[in-house]
Amino acid sequence: MSNLAENIIPDQEPKIVIRNIGRTFHIKKSPAGPHDFVALQEISLEVQKGEFVALVGPSGCGKSTLLDILAGLAKPNSGAVFIDGKQVTGPALDRGIVLQGYALFPWRTVRQNVEFGLEIKKVAKGERREISTRFIDLVGLKGFEDRFPHELSGGMKQRVAIARALAYDPEVLLMDEPFAAVDAQTRETLQDELLRIWEETRKTIIFVTHSIEEAVFLADRVAVLTANPGTVREIVPIDLPRPRQNSDIRSSPEFGWTRHKIWELLQNQPPADHRAGEQRPVADAISPSAAL
Amino acid sequence: MACAKKGGDAVRPYTRSSDMADTSIKEPFWSPARHLDKLSIVLFFAAWEAAPRLGGIVETFIAPPSLVLKTLVELFRQGEMLGHVTISLSRAVSGFGVAALVAIPLGFLLGGGFRTFERLVAPVLRFLGQVNPFSLFSLFVLLFGIGEFSKGAMIFWVSLWPILFNTINGVKSIDPLLVKSARSMGTGLTTLFFKVILPAASPGIFHGLKLGSGTAFFMLIAAEMIGASRGLGWLVWNAQINFQMPQLFAATVLISVLGLSLNFTFGALEEKLTGWRRKSAGES
């Protein structure tokens, strides 16, 4: 918690408070026999309003579980999440979620997909149309309103998913490896676009990713998670200048240095002493795109 | 567009590659290739008409289409035919309708909420689905009497299974990510069902309804041939024992036409309601 303190402006109430979250899964079928798998252990994190926080870590560190808990789709075994001081008890429209698999409704057009949350919110039809037009425009899909999801490329589908999550105006955007399934070039375009959208909408974003580079490029702070059990190892502030989009910031020495620091943090994870037989280089567990 | 159409298209959950085939560019109207299918049916009827006239086939056995049409018109003019069609259709519709009303909700329960139970009873259901009601005709008569009810029960039985199995499959194959994504927006259970689960399962349900309607119509004729005093099946059977070949053919042709239009209706309905599965990227 020590490095967290220097990033918080004292008189501002944090937007999201994650306090001592623990989540354990009981594994029935495994060669080692039934045992408890500690996915998350004493996770604590505070996120300011309008802040962009990325979560990186190896597979199995519970990043996605943590995001599900934030979304209200899963319950922690211990601890609690507060948004604006109110405890999260279930899913609600104050949080928007964007998943890796797009999860667009294939029977709905781009516009109808974007309007889904607005229908749940019971927004009147005329207003729905106005809002969906605005957000389709924001993600650069003007002219594609009446296309069905299978008529779009992977990158375009993810733009629709972002527009859908933004349309009902949540204050917090939770993104679970949203760009993992698109090719490298589209990915960089989408990262630029996301930063532009973030600056236009000033949402609070929590972004889960496998890629160190993506985390450094996007975030104000990067929370480095360890696996077995999933805990926050360190929170690294990213002091790179903004706006970072459409710039060559990736090749700057500061960028490389920050990326290396996070890489080292992931490399030098403390040995998981309670499972001594299973030590393996953590870098192997991170996707190739994360390696240097 | 900054983001061009490249890559990232690995996920195409609702589009099978076979669906893409019917989006090939249409041939111009005058092209013979576009009328190949119509030509075959014309040739078929021409050959059928010519065969008895040219000899080789005895007209008493194979009535030519012109005679079949004449008989058909006559049967309609006598006023009897419409009665046969109406009674046959009402039997099919009531049996099929009740089957759909039972099978679709049951399919949602088995495929959705009670999956362990579904796994438990699936083999029994599969076995029952293969039971041919005609081999148990006497049992149906014993249980439901000789009247309309036993015929309705048989239609119900044969159309129940395809609808049930396809609904179960449709519900089971719903992408859990869609449900997760809808739930993350705080969607209530009722809304989730009508806005996500029902449309996502609809291709499976429609496939089942289409199969079920075909089976129902097919079995109806057979049921009427075994024990009925009215209806299209009875007409066929009656023509058969009286050796009235034109009447036999007239009834058969009418049954085929009704079956085809049933198939067409369900196909059109399916295209209208679940057409999002078929439309492809090549259009516009």
Side-chain angles (χ1 to χ4, degrees):
Chain A
M1 297 293 283
S2 59
N3 45 9
L4 193 67
E6 61 199 39
N7 287 299
I8 293 173
I9 308 153
D11 55 324
Q12 198 181 345
E13 179 91 351
K15 182 78 186 166
I16 305 168
V17 177
I18 300 167
R19 189 176 296 156
N20 291 325
I21 290 286
R23 183 82 176 92
T24 307
F25 293 105
H26 187 66
I27 316 271
K28 282 180 197 157
K29 284 178 193 164
S30 99
H35 65 278
D36 285 333
F37 172 73
V38 184
L40 297 170
Q41 194 177 54
E42 288 184 28
I43 298 268
S44 288
L45 182 68
E46 292 186 356
V47 180
Q48 298 301 318
K49 186 172 165 55
E51 197 180 16
F52 198 131
V53 172
L55 307 177
V56 289
S59 304
C61 71
K63 308 185 287 283
S64 295
T65 309
L66 180 58
L67 210 74
D68 280 356
I69 291 170
L70 290 174
L73 293 169
K75 292 227 183 311
N77 296 116
S78 60
V81 175
F82 299 89
I83 292 178
D84 288 330
K86 256 173 47 193
Q87 189 173 349
V88 167
T89 50
L93 288 166
D94 61 345
R95 282 149 283 153
I97 188 161
V98 179
L99 304 161
Q100 183 190 333
Y102 320 124
L104 300 178
F105 303 111
W107 57 88
R108 287 174 162 248
T109 61
V110 167
R111 181 186 294 285
Q112 290 167 335
N113 263 291
V114 173
E115 288 182 1
F116 187 89
L118 300 170
E119 288 173 26
I120 303 298
K121 216 175 170 180
K122 296 197 163 50
V123 174
K125 201 175 175 187
E127 198 184 337
R128 273 206 316 256
R129 202 180 163 82
E130 197 183 298
I131 294 170
S132 62
T133 307
R134 183 147 47 88
F135 282 97
I136 290 168
D137 207 16
L138 180 73
V139 297
L141 283 179
K142 199 174 188 166
F144 291 88
E145 290 88 347
D146 298 321
R147 296 288 190 98
F148 283 91
H150 62 256
E151 296 175 311
L152 306 175
S153 69
M156 291 160 97
K157 282 183 203 166
Q158 202 50 277
R159 286 162 187 263
V160 180
I162 292 170
R164 179 177 64 181
L166 287 172
Y168 51 86
D169 199 26
E171 288 170 42
V172 177
L173 199 57
L174 306 169
M175 307 184 87
D176 189 0
E177 301 190 33
F179 307 147
V182 297
D183 63 280
Q185 217 172 338
T186 310
R187 178 185 256 231
E188 286 195 6
T189 315
L190 286 172
Q191 288 168 357
D192 281 354
E193 296 268 296
L194 179 63
L195 284 184
R196 177 180 62 77
I197 291 165
W198 173 61
E199 274 161 23
E200 275 181 43
T201 57
R202 303 310 307 175
K203 301 288 178 198
T204 308
I205 298 182
I206 296 188
F207 190 102
V208 165
T209 178
H210 257 82
S211 158
I212 300 171
E213 177 166 334
E214 185 168 69
V216 172
F217 179 73
L218 294 171
D220 293 326
R221 287 189 295 148
V222 175
V224 181
L225 304 189
T226 57
N228 278 328
T231 49
V232 178
R233 178 165 162 85
E234 198 169 323
I235 295 163
V236 182
I238 310 293
D239 295 323
L240 299 169
R242 291 190 186 272
R244 299 175 192 162
Q245 61 268 35
N246 306 318
S247 72
D248 198 19
I249 201 162
R250 283 187 178 86
S251 49
S252 74
E254 292 82 9
F255 189 92
W257 183 83
T258 316
R259 188 174 61 177
H260 184 72
K261 185 182 172 189
I262 293 172
W263 181 79
E264 263 188 341
L265 281 170
L266 286 163
Q267 281 284 304
N268 303 329
Q269 296 209 4
D273 45 10
H274 61 292
R275 300 185 64 175
E278 267 189 71
Q279 279 186 44
R280 58 178 178 143
V282 180
D284 286 357
I286 305 168
S287 78
S289 60
L292 282 165
Chain B
M1 274 310 305
C3 141
K5 284 210 165 197
K6 59 175 94 109
D9 264 340
V11 192
R12 271 183 185 271
Y14 283 88
T15 321
R16 284 169 295 131
S17 55
S18 59
D19 287 344
M20 312 300 278
D22 51 24
T23 58
S24 55
I25 300 154
K26 271 196 171 175
E27 298 272 342
F29 181 75
W30 58 85
S31 157
R34 229 184 120 178
H35 301 282
L36 215 58
D37 50 344
K38 285 160 203 138
L39 191 70
S40 71
I41 194 114
V42 170
L43 278 175
F44 170 75
F45 277 104
W48 181 6
E49 182 72 44
R53 289 171 203 277
L54 295 171
I57 288 173
V58 190
E59 205 182 308
T60 336
F61 293 150
I62 309 278
S66 54
L67 185 62
V68 171
L69 196 69
K70 219 176 90 188
T71 318
L72 204 57
V73 170
E74 220 157 84
L75 281 169
F76 266 107
R77 200 175 287 162
Q78 284 165 8
E80 249 183 74
M81 199 58 164
L82 209 62
H84 291 306
V85 173
T86 315
I87 193 129
S88 285
L89 282 181
S90 67
R91 279 170 187 152
V93 167
S94 55
F96 173 76
V98 175
L101 285 180
V102 172
I104 295 174
L106 196 62
F108 270 107
L109 286 179
L110 290 175
F114 302 92
R115 289 209 181 168
T116 319
F117 184 69
E118 193 266 336
R119 281 230 304 277
L120 185 76
V121 296
V124 180
L125 292 178
R126 301 257 162 220
F127 174 75
L128 286 176
Q130 288 303 315
V131 167
N132 191 319
F134 293 96
S135 53
L136 299 175
F137 187 69
S138 47
L139 188 71
F140 271 80
V141 171
L142 204 68
L143 288 174
F144 305 119
I146 195 129
E148 290 303 310
F149 198 77
S150 73
K151 279 183 275 291
M154 286 167 97
I155 304 303
F156 167 80
W157 182 269
V158 294
S159 43
L160 178 74
W161 306 105
I163 306 174
L164 179 64
F165 294 143
N166 282 290
T167 305
I168 292 176
N169 283 341
V171 174
K172 273 170 135 181
S173 62
I174 294 175
D175 185 354
L177 266 186
L178 294 181
V179 178
K180 183 177 175 181
S181 150
R183 273 188 55 220
S184 75
M185 297 182 225
T187 315
L189 276 181
T190 322
T191 319
L192 186 72
F193 180 79
F194 285 107
K195 283 196 192 266
V196 181
I197 294 175
L198 192 61
S202 63
I205 297 172
F206 259 93
H207 187 66
L209 287 175
K210 207 164 128 182
L211 283 180
S213 72
T215 322
F217 197 67
F218 210 79
M219 288 300 185
L220 165 81
I221 304 302
E224 286 178 340
M225 285 176 78
I226 299 178
S229 53
R230 297 198 67 189
L232 288 169
W234 174 83
L235 199 66
V236 170
W237 177 80
N238 189 48
Q240 189 182 308
I241 57 162
N242 292 316
F243 208 68
Q244 288 182 307
M245 280 304 168
Q247 209 189 64
L248 180 84
F249 273 92
T252 307
V253 165
L254 190 62
I255 289 166
S256 307
V257 168
L258 282 176
L260 272 178
S261 35
L262 196 72
N263 211 311
F264 178 81
T265 310
F266 268 97
L269 209 62
E270 188 179 22
E271 182 60 41
K272 192 168 160 54
L273 292 176
T274 64
W276 45 267
R277 291 169 65 234
R278 279 175 217 286
K279 288 194 192 107
S280 92
E283 285 172 320
S284 87

